[in-house]
Amino acid sequence: MAGSDDVILLDFWVSAFGLRVRIALAEKGIHYEYREENLQNKSPLLLEMNPVHKKIPVLIHQGKPVCESNIIVQYIDEAWHDKSPSLLPSDPYLRAQARFWADFVDKKVYEAAKKIWMTEGEEDRQVAKKELIEVLKVLEGQLGEKPYMVGESFGLADIAMIPFSVWFHTLNEIGKMNIERECPKLAAWVNRCMERESVSKTLPHPHKFYEFVLEMQKKKGH
Amino acid sequence: MADEVKLHGVTGSPFVCRAVIALNLKGIKYEFVAEDLSNKSADLLKYNPVYKKVPVLVHNGNPISESLVIVEYIDEVWKGVPILPQDAYEKAQARFWAKVIDDKCLPAVFKAVSSHGEEQAVAEAHEALQFLENELKVKGIKFFGGDNINLVDIAATFVAFWIGAAEEALGIEVLSKHKFPKLTEWSDNYVNCQAVKESLPPRENLVAFFKKRFGKA
């Protein structure tokens, strides 16, 4: 049985991408050593383990690095395939759906959400809000009446998206919007995911994220 | 019941080509549905409402979009020549490099081409391509998949074939042999693989496309 020194996670406490990995590890009950990175002063280990991107999260398993959060989550599922639950469906078509939607979160949700606090000027912010709600509604369309994003079980696509629920309070405050009201199905899905210990015990409180963003904005002189 | 496999695409797209190579590698019979991107078919919009792009693989009426997702799907459904490694760690590495190609190499090369070989753009393309060059050099491998092509080689198809066509069309140099000896060697080996050879579009069509799309008036 692998000891905790077999698995190291280089991460940053508030990173949505790092949170994906932490949730996946918690789902499988894998013991690991968590190492907080200072992104203004990255450790030599991080630079050695992820020379291409120099980013977190990086999972180091038996000394070998795995990078890119959605790839790490799939790796965790495959390397610990004997531990339940499975993080991907067994059906190839549903697996393709899971990968597609996990990638959609990266391509669309992350970019649209960041714009809310990165744009200046009311007009640009209105455009950013509209874009974000459109993207979230596409996710709601995929959710439909299902409990989770793909198939009937919590998995890769849910894991890819749920850390961004931490951003909702901040987006609502800064964007002067109400995501839960505009996207009630998504809000219900968030609550459902939060019933899982791997999620509720891993995600930071949304107010902490808000404090973090305000701090960041202050430093940039906003 | 026989499998029904359709691929919606355009012959000039390196993304569509990835799917074609995977299908040919596995020897899968399929129908190619040629799309006009300025007048997308109702089927395409129905099968890929999120991005409305090609390629889309439709397997027994079930649509799959995004070229790398399609290639993994093909590998999982049809046995035969493996496209991804079996080992979990090696698989993660293959997925990682395929993503580097999409996230870093492709955009940088696209900029170098569309800017007609502008110095800064080419420098950035070189930086991105250097990662691939180093992978081949450090590992001393013929293909990214080792002795045989894998997901990463397929993802890098545009490096082996599209860059050269663009260079010829626009009179620019992006993938020089002396700067990228390994990638150049890899390109020659790659385009000569049977499954790849039968999947690539005619080179003169690609050159003509680049001239028309990016050529100076």
Side-chain angles (χ1 to χ4, degrees):
Chain A
M1 198 174 86
S4 69
D5 36 288
D6 268 11
V7 187
I8 298 170
L9 177 65
L10 305 182
D11 202 348
F12 180 63
W13 72 279
V14 90
S15 160
F17 305 99
L19 286 166
R20 290 170 173 175
V21 178
R22 280 178 259 165
I23 289 170
L25 290 165
E27 280 282 313
K28 295 278 197 184
I30 296 163
H31 294 289
Y32 64 99
E33 182 194 333
Y34 178 91
R35 288 197 200 169
E36 182 75 9
E37 283 284 333
N38 175 356
L39 299 183
Q40 316 309 323
N41 186 19
K42 293 172 180 176
S43 73
L45 183 64
L46 174 57
L47 300 178
E48 182 198 334
M49 293 284 131
N50 192 356
V52 175
H53 303 294
K54 304 175 175 51
K55 284 182 174 179
I56 53 92
V58 179
L59 189 80
I60 308 174
H61 186 203
Q62 293 165 342
K64 296 193 290 189
V66 184
C67 308
E68 296 295 301
S69 58
N70 284 336
I71 293 174
I72 298 173
V73 172
Q74 290 182 79
Y75 172 77
I76 288 168
D77 194 44
E78 289 158 12
W80 283 274
H81 60 88
D82 52 342
K83 281 193 176 235
S84 68
S86 288
L87 303 180
L88 270 94
S90 49
D91 172 70
Y93 180 67
L94 291 178
R95 291 163 73 81
Q97 296 312 298
R99 290 179 182 129
F100 176 89
W101 288 105
D103 177 66
F104 175 86
V105 177
D106 279 355
K107 278 192 169 78
K108 294 284 186 184
V109 176
Y110 176 58
E111 294 301 320
K114 260 197 319 185
K115 277 190 189 153
I116 302 287
W117 60 71
M118 280 172 65
T119 47
E120 299 183 23
E122 194 47 43
E123 219 176 281
D124 283 344
R125 191 157 277 163
Q126 289 305 321
V127 172
K129 272 165 66 172
K130 192 161 167 278
E131 212 182 285
L132 176 63
I133 293 296
E134 257 168 44
V135 163
L136 294 179
K137 282 200 185 297
V138 172
L139 274 179
E140 279 202 318
Q142 168 58 19
L143 202 51
E145 301 307 314
K146 299 195 306 299
Y148 297 109
M149 289 289 173
V150 174
E152 297 296 309
S153 306
F154 180 79
L156 175 70
D158 307 284
I159 293 173
M161 180 61 198
I162 195 62
F164 289 98
S165 68
V166 172
W167 293 27
F168 287 179
H169 172 71
T170 302
L171 293 166
N172 288 341
E173 289 294 309
I174 295 180
K176 295 197 197 7
M177 54 201 298
N178 189 332
I179 291 174
E180 290 82 354
R181 193 182 57 211
E182 302 241 28
C183 304
K185 278 201 176 126
L186 197 66
W189 165 83
V190 172
N191 291 337
R192 199 171 301 124
C193 291
M194 286 295 278
E195 287 170 13
R196 302 180 81 83
E197 240 180 53
S198 67
V199 177
S200 61
K201 290 212 161 127
T202 300
L203 296 185
H205 197 284
H207 291 174
K208 287 214 175 325
F209 183 72
Y210 185 39
E211 275 164 36
F212 170 78
V213 172
L214 291 179
E215 222 11 76
M216 235 184 14
Q217 286 191 318
K218 213 169 27 177
K219 281 184 187 154
K220 289 194 177 142
H222 281 212
Chain B
M1 192 186 89
D3 261 340
E4 190 196 62
V5 183
K6 293 188 187 179
L7 181 70
H8 288 248
V10 296
T11 51
S13 158
F15 302 100
V16 171
C17 195
R18 291 170 173 176
V20 173
I21 291 169
L23 289 165
N24 284 336
L25 207 51
K26 299 277 192 182
I28 300 161
K29 282 197 170 62
Y30 68 99
E31 180 194 336
F32 186 84
V33 180
E35 288 284 341
D36 173 0
L37 297 183
S38 60
N39 185 22
K40 293 171 182 177
S41 73
D43 272 350
L44 178 63
L45 300 179
K46 179 179 80 177
Y47 289 138
N48 190 359
V50 175
Y51 299 117
K52 306 176 174 54
K53 285 181 171 180
V54 292
V56 177
L57 185 79
V58 187
H59 184 204
N60 295 331
N62 292 325
I64 300 115
S65 308
E66 294 298 289
S67 59
L68 296 180
V69 174
I70 292 171
V71 173
E72 282 216 39
Y73 175 81
I74 289 169
D75 196 42
E76 286 183 3
V77 171
W78 286 278
K79 301 304 154 198
V81 179
I83 295 175
L84 270 92
Q86 283 285 66
D87 174 71
Y89 183 73
E90 294 306 319
K91 209 178 264 196
Q93 293 313 296
R95 286 175 178 145
F96 173 82
W97 285 109
K99 197 167 195 292
V100 169
I101 286 164
D102 269 358
D103 290 351
K104 280 200 185 294
C105 302
L106 230 141
V109 169
F110 183 81
K111 242 167 109 183
V113 167
S114 60
S115 70
H116 282 264
E118 188 268 315
E119 207 178 310
Q120 179 58 26
V122 171
E124 282 174 23
H126 283 179
E127 214 179 287
L129 292 170
Q130 193 62 45
F131 288 119
L132 300 184
E133 177 76 14
N134 292 346
E135 258 302 279
L136 292 171
K137 193 157 54 175
V138 163
K139 298 209 166 130
I141 39 183
K142 185 178 180 190
F143 297 113
F144 292 100
D147 290 331
N148 298 303
I149 66 174
N150 78 354
L151 178 75
V152 183
D153 300 275
I154 294 174
T157 302
F158 82 95
V159 175
F161 197 69
W162 268 254
I163 292 183
E167 287 173 330
E168 185 185 318
L170 307 175
I172 59 174
E173 189 178 50
V174 177
L175 190 73
S176 67
K177 191 171 178 168
H178 84 269
K179 248 191 173 342
F180 298 99
K182 287 284 164 196
L183 263 181
T184 306
E185 195 186 335
W186 166 83
S187 296
D188 290 338
N189 287 327
Y190 181 67
V191 299
N192 279 308
C193 293
Q194 188 53 40
V196 178
K197 225 188 319 205
E198 65 192 43
S199 308
L200 294 173
R203 197 167 186 276
E204 57 280 9
N205 292 13
L206 218 47
V207 174
F209 163 78
F210 278 117
K211 274 203 175 114
K212 189 166 173 214
R213 173 93 195 266
F214 298 114
K216 298 193 158 112

